[in-house]
């Protein structure tokens, strides 16, 4: 498990809870975080449901951060926490952007869509043969070495 490796023990902490619960967000000190990362279950049978749940989590976190910013406006402290999320379907990106109110910004948000990435890589490989092999080799060579080698 990654949390047990010596180089992560002092810097990484696992906190169990729900991102939909404001008490858990407060306990995690999400307002002091530089980024919140929300990952989807890419093996889910219902991609639409999974994306809806991910978008809901992002909206709850953004609303919580907006409330904290409203409370801290007098003291001049503003949080600039970016929300990074993984979505499964490209249409969900539009749903997320339309679901936010006018005062909420997506300026600091990052959305990674698996399906869009696959299709983009496929299209680029038509223009540049061998690109997928190159990227695959780069990803595989940048992974941590096996436990046997250490």
């Amino acid at each position: 498990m990654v949390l047990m490796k010596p180089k992560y023990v002092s810097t990484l902490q696992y906190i169990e809870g729900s991102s939909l619960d404001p008490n858990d967000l407060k306990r995690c000190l999400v307002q002091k975080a530089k980024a919140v990362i929300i990952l989807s279950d890419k093996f889910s049978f219902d991609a639409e449901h999974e994306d809806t749940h991910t978008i809901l989590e992002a909206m709850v976190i953004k609303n919580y951060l907006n409330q904290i910013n409203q409370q801290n406006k007098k003291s001049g402290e503003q949080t600039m926490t970016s929300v990074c999320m993984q979505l499964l379907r490209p249409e969900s990106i539009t749903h997320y952007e339309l679901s936010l109110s006018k005062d909420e910004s997506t300026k600091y948000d990052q959305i990674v869509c698996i399906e869009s990435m696959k299709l983009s890589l496929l299209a680029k490989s038509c223009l540049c043969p061998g690109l997928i092999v190159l990227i695959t080799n780069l990803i595989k060579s940048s992974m941590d070495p096996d436990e046997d080698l250490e």
Side-chain angles (χ1 to χ4, degrees), residues 70-84:
Q70 293 297 324
Q71 292 171 358
N72 293 341
K73 233 178 197 179
K74 295 175 185 174
S75 64
E77 293 180 35
Q78 295 287 9
T79 60
M80 296 298 175
T81 305
S82 66
V83 176
C84 307

Side-chain angles (χ1 to χ4, degrees), residues 1 8 21-22 27 29 36 40 45 47-48 52 57 63 71 73-75 81-82 94 105 107 114 128 136:
M1 185 178 209
Y8 298 122
D21 183 7
R27 187 169 53 99
L29 299 173
V36 175
S40 298
F45 291 111
E48 185 176 354
T52 303
E57 286 180 327
N63 286 337
Q71 292 171 358
K73 233 178 197 179
K74 295 175 185 174
S75 64
T81 305
S82 66
T94 308
S105 172
K107 181 178 174 182
I114 305 287
C128 181
T136 303

Side-chain angles (χ1 to χ4, degrees), residues 70-114:
Q70 293 297 324
Q71 292 171 358
N72 293 341
K73 233 178 197 179
K74 295 175 185 174
S75 64
E77 293 180 35
Q78 295 287 9
T79 60
M80 296 298 175
T81 305
S82 66
V83 176
C84 307
M85 72 177 102
Q86 174 190 21
L87 295 175
L88 303 176
R89 299 171 54 237
E91 307 86 47
S92 299
I93 297 171
T94 308
H95 293 170
Y96 172 67
E97 291 169 349
L98 292 174
S99 66
L100 297 174
S101 63
K102 292 179 183 176
D103 62 331
E104 290 179 314
S105 172
T106 59
K107 181 178 174 182
Y108 299 108
D109 295 352
Q110 294 180 358
I111 302 171
V112 176
C113 181
I114 305 287

Side-chain angles (χ1 to χ4, degrees), residues 121-137:
L121 272 173
L122 187 60
K124 294 287 184 192
S125 71
C126 292
L127 297 173
C128 181
L131 178 69
I132 293 179
V133 175
L134 173 70
I135 291 174
T136 303
N137 287 337

